[in-house]
Amino acid sequence: GLFVQLLSQTDEARIGFRTAAAFSTEPRNTLLCWDSGGASFQITREAPDGSLEAYLGALGSGLATCACVESIQGKVFSTTPSPNPVSLEQARALVIYLSGQLPQPPSWLSHSRPIAIGGENSMFALACDVLRVQRGQEQAVHSFTAADVVACIEHVAGSTEADLQSQYCSRENSDPSSLVVPKLCLLSAVMERCAIAQVKHQPAVGSCAGILVSEQLYTPTAPP
């Protein structure tokens, strides 16, 4: 039968780090991995003694969207699932709100340059996409600073559902446009709270690569 195992956030951080290590040429002792989903995020590094250290946050794109609707706009999320259009004032207020929900970051995150893993729907890919449009360039963007993310927020703030849908959510498997502004606000909040210098996006299908190289989670069956 099919064996299913539910991973803890700490395990998820470990697998995420393995995924970043599988794709990156960065030495493991200087590599930082940032993985973010709908309800949580993890930023992980290898400590000098070889153990893994992680900064864990109980915030993701879904929770950020709910916070935008309920805590910033004063509406009920169950009846108002989309915050669009989100004004620039509301977006800035959301960044401040989300930053206040984050735990105290460790000193090793200050001025860091993590590798952010995620697919086309990740907030990291979204920031790269918005930056490309905002700059009016055809070539892809692969990295960004905190100031770049602020520019992204300023670019999409006030946009209608239809505008965001056509510009950033037109793929068959795209996340809904309701998540566009909250994703960028969460990204901005974490980067500013942790004083992260720059983020490089590494396209990845979740943490599949990390699972494949994990002896604990994946053991290929020998051929008969």
Side-chain angles (χ1 to χ4, degrees):
L2 181 64
F3 176 73
V4 177
Q5 180 179 353
L6 182 63
L7 298 180
S8 67
Q9 190 177 11
T10 301
D11 289 334
E12 193 175 6
R14 184 177 298 108
I15 297 302
F17 182 83
R18 285 175 174 266
T19 298
F23 284 114
S24 177
T25 57
E26 182 85 14
R28 286 177 65 97
N29 63 342
T30 58
L31 175 66
L32 274 74
C33 170
W34 186 356
D35 184 15
S36 185
S40 66
F41 71 85
Q42 303 81 227
I43 307 179
T44 315
R45 75 158 187 169
E46 189 172 81
D49 63 0
S51 64
L52 289 184
E53 296 179 330
Y55 177 62
L56 308 177
L59 284 175
S61 56
L63 296 178
T65 303
C66 179
C68 186
V69 172
E70 297 197 340
S71 300
I72 304 303
Q73 297 179 335
K75 301 175 183 178
V76 179
F77 190 54
S78 60
T79 57
T80 311
S82 175
N84 293 324
V86 181
S87 69
L88 182 55
E89 180 182 4
Q90 291 172 339
R92 287 170 173 165
L94 180 59
V95 172
I96 294 172
Y97 175 84
L98 295 174
S99 181
Q101 306 301 306
L102 296 171
Q104 179 69 28
S107 59
W108 49 263
L109 273 177
S110 181
H111 306 295
S112 63
R113 296 172 179 267
I115 303 295
I117 60 172
E120 293 179 332
N121 287 328
S122 68
M123 63 182 185
F124 314 114
L126 174 64
C128 291
D129 201 17
V130 175
L131 266 182
R132 180 186 60 78
V133 173
Q134 187 259 342
R135 293 171 177 173
Q137 64 184 53
E138 293 185 5
Q139 62 268 35
V141 175
H142 301 289
S143 60
F144 48 84
T145 64
D148 289 331
V149 180
V150 171
C152 288
I153 294 172
E154 293 173 347
H155 183 74
V156 299
S159 298
T160 65
E161 200 85 51
D163 288 340
L164 294 174
Q165 181 71 33
S166 62
Q167 191 73 64
Y168 306 109
C169 308
S170 59
R171 295 185 303 274
E172 184 177 353
N173 65 334
S174 292
D175 277 349
S177 55
S178 57
L179 273 61
V180 170
V181 177
K183 281 181 179 180
L184 295 173
C185 290
L186 176 60
L187 181 57
S188 179
V190 177
M191 290 190 72
E192 291 184 7
R193 181 81 168 89
C194 299
I196 293 173
Q198 187 180 54
V199 172
K200 179 181 179 181
H201 175 228
Q202 171 58 59
V205 181
S207 294
C208 290
I211 293 175
L212 289 174
V213 297
S214 172
E215 296 177 355
Q216 292 78 21
L217 295 177
Y218 182 79
T219 303
T221 303

